[in-house]
Amino acid sequence: MNTTTKTPSQIAEEARQTARDAVETTRAYAQNAVNAAGEKVRDLQRDSEPAVEQLAARVQQAVQRGLDAASTTSARAQRRLEQAADVTGRYISDQPVRSVLLAAAAGAAITALIVLASRRSRDDY
């Protein structure tokens, strides 16, 4: 039986060495965890880039389709307004007296509505 008595300084030195070893082991473990996490983030980023690019392309296509549809609708509305203006112009040139009478009647109706509305708003106060 080998019983060597250690001095308090030897015991303290062994405890310091054990603590240093524990710190070094913990530091290595933490560094490995950080490296693994960084690698996972890079993998996720690399894997998600195509999906993000596909989503961006789909959004861009949807926006372009919307712009094309708006342009088509605008052009169609412009043509219809031009046709209505042509028809109205022809009607006025073909029927000038009737056109004036219709315009006067429409103006009188609008004026009557405005007068009624203003009376009602005064009566409400």
Side-chain angles (χ1 to χ4, degrees):
M1 187 168 179
N2 185 3
T3 56
T4 55
T5 306
K6 293 183 181 179
T7 64
S9 63
Q10 289 173 329
I11 293 172
E13 181 58 34
E14 286 178 3
R16 278 194 291 273
Q17 187 59 44
T18 301
R20 280 189 217 115
D21 291 345
V23 166
E24 196 57 41
T25 301
T26 303
R27 185 177 292 139
Y29 178 76
Q31 186 62 46
N32 288 339
V34 167
N35 290 343
E39 197 171 313
K40 278 285 188 195
V41 167
R42 285 188 294 277
D43 289 347
L44 286 172
Q45 185 179 14
R46 188 174 46 251
D47 292 346
S48 67
E49 282 179 3
V52 169
E53 288 177 10
Q54 287 176 350
L55 181 61
R58 287 181 188 163
V59 168
Q60 189 174 12
Q61 289 171 351
V63 167
Q64 188 60 47
R65 283 193 304 268
L67 289 173
D68 291 345
S71 177
T72 301
T73 302
S74 174
R76 191 177 307 139
Q78 182 67 30
R79 283 193 304 273
R80 287 185 181 167
L81 283 172
E82 289 171 359
Q83 289 171 349
D86 289 344
V87 168
T88 303
R90 279 195 303 269
Y91 182 82
I92 290 171
S93 66
D94 291 345
Q95 304 283 333
V97 175
R98 188 179 231 180
S99 299
V100 170
L101 291 175
L102 284 172
I110 291 172
T111 303
L113 290 173
I114 291 171
V115 168
L116 283 174
S118 66
R119 282 189 187 166
R120 282 189 183 166
S121 65
R122 271 189 261 137
D123 291 342
D124 289 343
Y125 291 111

